[in-house]
Amino acid sequence: MTQAKSPPPGGPGPDRSRMGPTRISTLVVAALAAAAVAWLLISTLYYSGIPRLPWLPVVTLAALAVLEAYAAVNTRGRIERKPGRDPVNPLLVARFVVLAKASALAAAIFAGFYAGLAGWLFVETTRAATEDRPAAGSGLLASLALVGAALWLERSCRVPERPDDEREPDQRESRPGQR
């Protein structure tokens, strides 16, 4: 009796809802769409009637990037069971993965929005546009930092490969002569 091969993730079958790593292409498409929307919105509205860009989103994005980078370093050390670190709770790691995936996508959208806005502000020559350039540029940098920290956290939550001598044989290796 041979074992049936499971279908690939994303295809039909029970494994189709399996979560995989965040694709960079998804983040790039989200950022480009947000940049286009930001450019269209700002160019169709009368810019001088809009209030100045706030700094609170920039500070929030930067703080989230720092927190997720710290979580990435801490989680990686706990997964690898480095001396002096407590073992990691698997449910916490799953929550970190979900947080990282959501943060990466949201930060990519923010980065696209800030890129579109900053692009338009650097083309515009008004005094209001000149005053908003630092907030837009800082927002873009903070968003990119959060994308990087989120991807790092997601990667840090992976289970490390075990050496060959520690690996347990699977069912096919334990039964000689069967495939």
Side-chain angles (χ1 to χ4, degrees):
M1 179 174 215
T2 60
Q3 288 183 342
K5 291 185 180 180
S6 63
D15 287 342
R16 78 168 176 256
S17 62
R18 240 174 80 190
M19 183 170 47
T22 302
R23 293 186 181 141
I24 302 299
S25 61
T26 302
L27 301 178
V28 169
V29 167
L32 290 175
V37 167
W39 187 283
L40 288 173
L41 282 177
I42 201 70
S43 64
T44 58
L45 298 174
Y46 188 62
Y47 180 72
S48 62
I50 298 174
R52 295 203 51 194
L53 282 179
W55 281 90
L56 184 61
V58 175
V59 172
T60 304
L61 290 169
L64 285 172
V66 168
L67 288 174
E68 288 194 24
Y70 173 75
V73 170
N74 189 26
T75 303
R76 173 59 34 206
R78 291 174 69 185
I79 286 176
E80 292 176 348
R81 297 184 180 189
K82 290 189 177 176
R85 304 244 177 134
D86 294 333
V88 68
N89 182 354
L91 188 57
L92 179 66
V93 174
R95 288 177 179 163
F96 277 160
V97 170
V98 172
L99 171 69
K101 289 181 78 60
S103 296
L105 183 59
I109 291 170
F110 269 102
F113 184 80
Y114 275 118
L117 186 60
W120 190 87
L121 289 174
F122 279 101
V123 171
E124 190 65 26
T125 58
T126 63
R127 185 176 145 257
T130 305
E131 291 173 355
D132 281 341
R133 287 177 189 162
S138 299
L140 177 60
L141 290 176
S143 299
L144 292 174
L146 182 55
V147 168
L151 291 175
W152 185 18
L153 177 59
E154 183 180 341
R155 181 151 180 88
S156 295
C157 291
R158 292 182 180 173
V159 176
E161 292 290 326
R162 293 189 301 185
D164 289 338
D165 56 344
E166 291 181 13
R167 231 180 54 197
E168 298 173 6
D170 65 0
Q171 289 180 342
R172 287 177 281 166
E173 293 175 353
S174 64
R175 286 189 261 159
Q178 288 203 345
R179 293 190 167 188

Coordinates of all heavy atoms in Angstrom, one line a residue, residues 48-98:
S48 N -3.7 73.2 -0.1 CA -3.6 74.2 1.0 C -4.7 74.2 2.0 O -4.6 74.7 3.1 CB -3.4 75.6 0.4 OG -4.6 75.9 -0.3
G49 N -5.9 73.5 1.6 CA -7.0 73.4 2.5 C -6.9 72.2 3.5 O -7.6 72.1 4.4
I50 N -5.9 71.4 3.3 CA -5.7 70.2 4.1 C -4.8 70.6 5.3 O -3.8 71.3 5.1 CB -5.0 69.1 3.3 CG1 -5.9 68.7 2.2 CG2 -4.7 67.9 4.2 CD1 -5.3 67.7 1.2
P51 N -5.0 70.1 6.5 CA -4.2 70.5 7.6 C -2.8 69.8 7.5 O -2.6 68.9 6.7 CB -4.9 69.9 8.9 CG -5.8 68.9 8.3 CD -6.2 69.3 6.9
R52 N -1.8 70.3 8.2 CA -0.4 69.8 8.2 C -0.4 68.4 8.5 O -1.2 67.9 9.3 CB 0.4 70.6 9.2 CG 0.6 72.1 8.7 CD 1.8 72.7 9.3 NE 2.9 71.9 9.0 CZ 4.1 72.2 9.6 NH1 4.2 73.1 10.5 NH2 5.1 71.4 9.3
L53 N 0.6 67.7 8.0 CA 0.7 66.3 8.3 C 1.1 66.1 9.7 O 2.0 66.7 10.2 CB 1.9 65.7 7.4 CG 1.5 65.4 6.0 CD1 2.8 64.8 5.3 CD2 0.4 64.4 5.8
P54 N 0.4 65.2 10.4 CA 0.7 64.9 11.8 C 2.0 64.0 12.0 O 2.3 63.2 11.1 CB -0.5 64.2 12.3 CG -1.1 63.5 11.1 CD -0.8 64.4 10.0
W55 N 2.6 64.2 13.1 CA 3.8 63.4 13.4 C 3.5 62.1 14.2 O 4.3 61.2 14.3 CB 4.8 64.2 14.2 CG 5.6 65.1 13.3 CD1 5.3 66.4 12.9 CD2 6.8 64.8 12.6 NE1 6.2 66.9 12.1 CE2 7.2 65.9 11.8 CE3 7.6 63.7 12.5 CZ2 8.3 66.0 11.1 CZ3 8.8 63.7 11.7 CH2 9.1 64.9 11.0
L56 N 2.3 62.0 14.8 CA 1.9 60.9 15.6 C 2.0 59.5 14.8 O 2.5 58.5 15.4 CB 0.6 61.1 16.2 CG 0.1 60.0 17.2 CD1 1.1 59.9 18.3 CD2 -1.3 60.2 17.6
P57 N 1.5 59.4 13.6 CA 1.7 58.2 12.9 C 3.1 57.8 12.6 O 3.5 56.6 12.7 CB 1.0 58.4 11.5 CG 0.0 59.5 11.8 CD 0.7 60.4 12.8
V58 N 4.0 58.8 12.4 CA 5.4 58.5 12.2 C 6.0 57.9 13.5 O 6.7 56.9 13.4 CB 6.1 59.8 11.8 CG1 7.6 59.6 11.7 CG2 5.6 60.3 10.5
V59 N 5.7 58.5 14.6 CA 6.2 58.0 15.9 C 5.7 56.6 16.2 O 6.4 55.7 16.7 CB 5.9 59.0 17.0 CG1 6.2 58.5 18.4 CG2 6.6 60.3 16.8
T60 N 4.4 56.4 15.9 CA 3.8 55.1 16.1 C 4.4 54.0 15.3 O 4.8 52.9 15.8 CB 2.3 55.2 15.9 OG1 1.7 56.2 16.7 CG2 1.6 53.8 16.2
L61 N 4.6 54.3 14.0 CA 5.3 53.3 13.1 C 6.7 53.0 13.6 O 7.1 51.9 13.5 CB 5.3 53.8 11.7 CG 3.9 53.9 11.0 CD1 4.0 54.7 9.7 CD2 3.4 52.5 10.7
A62 N 7.5 54.0 14.0 CA 8.8 53.8 14.4 C 8.9 53.0 15.7 O 9.7 52.1 15.9 CB 9.5 55.2 14.6
A63 N 8.0 53.3 16.6 CA 7.9 52.6 17.9 C 7.5 51.1 17.6 O 8.1 50.2 18.2 CB 6.9 53.2 18.8
L64 N 6.6 50.8 16.7 CA 6.3 49.5 16.4 C 7.4 48.7 15.8 O 7.6 47.5 16.0 CB 5.0 49.4 15.5 CG 3.7 49.7 16.1 CD1 2.6 49.8 15.0 CD2 3.3 48.6 17.1
A65 N 8.2 49.4 14.9 CA 9.4 48.8 14.3 C 10.4 48.4 15.4 O 11.0 47.3 15.3 CB 10.0 49.8 13.3
V66 N 10.6 49.3 16.4 CA 11.6 48.9 17.4 C 11.1 47.8 18.3 O 11.8 46.8 18.6 CB 11.8 50.2 18.3 CG1 12.5 49.8 19.6 CG2 12.5 51.3 17.6
L67 N 9.8 47.8 18.6 CA 9.2 46.7 19.4 C 9.3 45.3 18.7 O 9.6 44.3 19.2 CB 7.8 47.0 19.8 CG 7.6 48.1 20.9 CD1 6.1 48.4 21.1 CD2 8.3 47.7 22.2
E68 N 9.0 45.3 17.4 CA 9.0 44.1 16.6 C 10.4 43.6 16.4 O 10.7 42.4 16.4 CB 8.2 44.2 15.3 CG 6.8 44.3 15.5 CD 5.9 44.1 14.3 OE1 6.4 43.5 13.3 OE2 4.8 44.6 14.3
A69 N 11.4 44.5 16.2 CA 12.8 44.1 16.1 C 13.2 43.5 17.4 O 13.9 42.5 17.4 CB 13.6 45.3 15.8
Y70 N 12.9 44.1 18.6 CA 13.2 43.5 19.9 C 12.6 42.1 20.0 O 13.2 41.1 20.5 CB 12.8 44.4 21.0 CG 13.0 43.8 22.4 CD1 14.2 43.7 22.9 CD2 11.9 43.2 23.1 CE1 14.4 43.1 24.2 CE2 12.0 42.6 24.3 CZ 13.3 42.6 24.8 OH 13.5 42.0 26.0
A71 N 11.3 42.0 19.6 CA 10.6 40.7 19.7 C 11.3 39.6 18.8 O 11.4 38.5 19.1 CB 9.2 40.8 19.3
A72 N 11.8 40.1 17.6 CA 12.5 39.2 16.7 C 13.8 38.6 17.4 O 14.1 37.4 17.3 CB 12.8 39.9 15.4
V73 N 14.6 39.5 18.0 CA 15.8 39.1 18.6 C 15.5 38.2 19.8 O 16.2 37.1 19.9 CB 16.6 40.3 19.1 CG1 17.8 39.9 20.0 CG2 17.1 41.1 17.9
N74 N 14.6 38.5 20.6 CA 14.2 37.7 21.8 C 13.7 36.4 21.4 O 14.0 35.4 22.0 CB 13.2 38.5 22.7 CG 13.0 37.9 24.0 OD1 13.8 37.2 24.5 ND2 11.8 38.1 24.6
T75 N 12.8 36.4 20.4 CA 12.1 35.1 20.0 C 13.1 34.2 19.4 O 13.1 33.0 19.7 CB 11.0 35.4 19.1 OG1 10.1 36.3 19.7 CG2 10.2 34.1 18.7
R76 N 14.0 34.7 18.6 CA 15.0 33.8 17.9 C 15.9 33.1 19.0 O 16.2 32.0 18.9 CB 15.9 34.6 16.9 CG 17.0 33.9 16.3 CD 16.8 32.7 15.5 NE 15.6 32.5 14.8 CZ 15.1 31.4 14.4 NH1 15.6 30.2 14.8 NH2 14.0 31.3 13.7
G77 N 16.3 33.9 20.0 CA 17.1 33.3 21.0 C 16.4 32.3 21.9 O 17.0 31.3 22.3
R78 N 15.1 32.5 22.1 CA 14.3 31.5 22.8 C 14.0 30.3 22.0 O 14.0 29.2 22.6 CB 13.1 32.2 23.3 CG 13.3 33.3 24.4 CD 12.1 34.0 24.8 NE 11.2 33.1 25.5 CZ 10.0 33.5 25.9 NH1 9.5 34.7 25.6 NH2 9.2 32.6 26.6
I79 N 13.8 30.4 20.7 CA 13.6 29.3 19.9 C 14.8 28.4 19.8 O 14.8 27.2 19.8 CB 13.1 29.7 18.5 CG1 11.6 30.1 18.6 CG2 13.2 28.5 17.5 CD1 11.0 30.7 17.3
E80 N 16.0 29.1 19.7 CA 17.3 28.3 19.6 C 17.7 27.8 20.9 O 18.8 27.2 21.0 CB 18.3 29.2 18.9 CG 18.1 29.5 17.5 CD 19.1 30.5 16.9 OE1 19.8 31.1 17.6 OE2 19.0 30.6 15.7
R81 N 17.0 28.1 22.0 CA 17.3 27.7 23.4 C 18.7 28.1 23.8 O 19.5 27.3 24.3 CB 17.1 26.2 23.5 CG 15.6 25.9 23.3 CD 15.4 24.4 23.6 NE 14.0 24.1 23.3 CZ 13.4 23.0 23.6 NH1 14.1 22.1 24.1 NH2 12.1 22.9 23.4
K82 N 19.0 29.4 23.6 CA 20.3 29.9 24.0 C 20.3 29.9 25.6 O 19.3 30.1 26.2 CB 20.5 31.3 23.5 CG 20.7 31.3 22.0 CD 21.1 32.6 21.5 CE 21.4 32.5 20.0 NZ 21.7 33.8 19.4
P83 N 21.5 29.8 26.2 CA 21.6 29.7 27.6 C 21.1 31.0 28.3 O 21.3 32.1 27.7 CB 23.1 29.6 27.9 CG 23.7 29.2 26.6 CD 22.8 29.6 25.5
G84 N 20.4 30.8 29.4 CA 19.8 32.0 30.1 C 18.5 32.4 29.6 O 17.9 33.4 30.1
R85 N 18.0 31.8 28.6 CA 16.7 32.2 28.0 C 15.6 31.1 28.3 O 15.9 29.9 28.2 CB 16.7 32.4 26.5 CG 17.8 33.4 26.1 CD 17.2 34.6 25.5 NE 18.2 35.6 25.2 CZ 18.2 36.2 24.0 NH1 17.4 35.9 23.1 NH2 19.1 37.1 23.8
D86 N 14.4 31.5 28.7 CA 13.3 30.6 28.9 C 12.9 30.0 27.6 O 13.0 30.6 26.5 CB 12.2 31.3 29.6 CG 12.5 31.8 31.0 OD1 13.4 31.2 31.6 OD2 11.9 32.8 31.4
P87 N 12.3 28.7 27.6 CA 11.8 28.2 26.4 C 10.6 29.0 25.9 O 9.9 29.7 26.7 CB 11.4 26.8 26.8 CG 11.6 26.6 28.2 CD 12.3 27.8 28.7
V88 N 10.3 29.0 24.7 CA 9.3 29.8 24.1 C 7.9 29.0 24.1 O 7.9 27.8 23.9 CB 9.7 30.3 22.7 CG1 9.7 29.1 21.7 CG2 8.8 31.4 22.2
N89 N 6.9 29.8 24.3 CA 5.5 29.2 24.2 C 5.1 29.2 22.7 O 5.1 30.2 22.0 CB 4.6 30.1 25.0 CG 3.2 29.6 25.0 OD1 2.8 28.6 24.3 ND2 2.3 30.2 25.8
P90 N 4.8 28.0 22.2 CA 4.4 27.9 20.8 C 3.2 28.8 20.4 O 3.2 29.3 19.3 CB 4.1 26.4 20.6 CG 4.7 25.7 21.7 CD 4.8 26.7 22.9
L91 N 2.3 29.0 21.3 CA 1.2 29.9 21.0 C 1.6 31.3 20.8 O 1.1 32.0 19.9 CB 0.1 29.7 22.0 CG -1.2 30.4 21.7 CD1 -1.8 29.9 20.4 CD2 -2.2 30.2 22.9
L92 N 2.6 31.7 21.6 CA 3.1 33.1 21.5 C 3.8 33.3 20.1 O 3.7 34.3 19.5 CB 4.1 33.3 22.6 CG 4.8 34.7 22.6 CD1 3.8 35.8 22.9 CD2 5.9 34.7 23.7
V93 N 4.5 32.2 19.7 CA 5.2 32.3 18.4 C 4.2 32.4 17.3 O 4.4 33.2 16.3 CB 6.1 31.1 18.2 CG1 6.7 31.1 16.8 CG2 7.3 31.1 19.2
A94 N 3.1 31.7 17.4 CA 2.1 31.8 16.4 C 1.4 33.2 16.3 O 1.2 33.7 15.3 CB 1.0 30.7 16.6
R95 N 1.3 33.7 17.5 CA 0.7 35.1 17.5 C 1.7 36.1 17.0 O 1.3 37.1 16.3 CB 0.4 35.5 19.0 CG -0.8 34.7 19.5 CD -1.1 35.1 20.9 NE -2.3 34.4 21.4 CZ -2.6 34.2 22.6 NH1 -1.8 34.6 23.6 NH2 -3.7 33.5 23.0
F96 N 3.0 35.9 17.2 CA 4.0 36.8 16.6 C 4.0 36.7 15.1 O 4.2 37.7 14.4 CB 5.4 36.5 17.2 CG 5.7 37.1 18.5 CD1 6.7 36.6 19.3 CD2 5.0 38.2 19.0 CE1 7.0 37.2 20.5 CE2 5.3 38.8 20.2 CZ 6.3 38.3 21.0
V97 N 3.8 35.5 14.6 CA 3.8 35.3 13.1 C 2.6 36.1 12.5 O 2.8 36.8 11.5 CB 3.7 33.8 12.7 CG1 3.5 33.7 11.3 CG2 5.0 33.1 13.1
V98 N 1.5 36.0 13.2 CA 0.3 36.7 12.7 C 0.5 38.2 12.8 O 0.2 39.0 11.9 CB -1.0 36.3 13.4 CG1 -2.2 37.1 13.1 CG2 -1.3 34.8 13.1

